[in-house]
Amino acid sequence: MSRPTTLDWTAVCPLDRLDPDRGVAALVDGVQVALFSTGGELFAVDNLDPVGGAYVMSRGIVGSRGGVPTLASPLHKQVYDLRSGRCLDLPVVTLRRHGVRCRDGLVEVRLRQEE
């Protein structure tokens, strides 16, 4: 069984570069990450669509289901819970999440990888 590990925090962009409910793609230590600001919270997930196999999640549609912040893939419209990464349409599929925070006005990401 693999255990999640984390790397160091990496400054990505100023917080004011993130428009509410719109994604931004960033390259963090060679990994494409999609960043979102919605409902006053920050989220970072892989930019790779786990179903479609393309790097497009930053162009996904931000929304909610029952108060849960969600992201719909722009390819096939699978909807993911931004808090857990779980696909709400295909329960066996997950979108890898990463740590994200704002420090001194800068958005920082900490990659999460499986060992």
Side-chain angles (χ1 to χ4, degrees):
M1 184 167 164
S2 61
R3 297 180 333 176
T5 60
T6 55
L7 304 175
D8 293 331
W9 289 100
T10 302
V12 176
C13 67
L15 180 61
D16 61 10
R17 293 284 309 261
L18 295 182
D19 291 330
D21 301 328
R22 303 233 15 203
V24 172
L27 191 61
V28 179
D29 294 327
V31 176
Q32 286 192 36
V33 174
L35 300 171
F36 299 91
S37 173
T38 185
E41 293 184 77
L42 293 173
F43 299 94
V45 297
D46 272 359
N47 197 33
L48 180 66
D49 181 331
V51 174
Y55 290 93
V56 296
M57 295 308 288
S58 63
R59 295 184 295 200
I61 301 163
V62 175
S64 67
R65 276 196 192 170
V68 172
T70 60
L71 175 63
S73 166
L75 292 178
H76 302 291
K77 309 301 184 238
Q78 289 85 10
V79 176
Y80 298 87
D81 179 338
L82 278 170
R83 297 177 307 181
S84 68
R86 184 176 60 87
C87 183
L88 302 178
D89 301 318
L90 302 168
V92 297
V93 177
T94 57
L95 182 61
R96 186 169 56 167
R97 300 170 302 118
H98 301 286
V100 63
R101 68 183 182 189
C102 182
R103 243 179 61 175
D104 300 326
L106 288 177
V107 175
E108 298 180 334
V109 172
R110 182 173 62 190
L111 294 179
R112 182 171 293 143
Q113 297 181 335
E114 297 298 323
E115 290 184 328

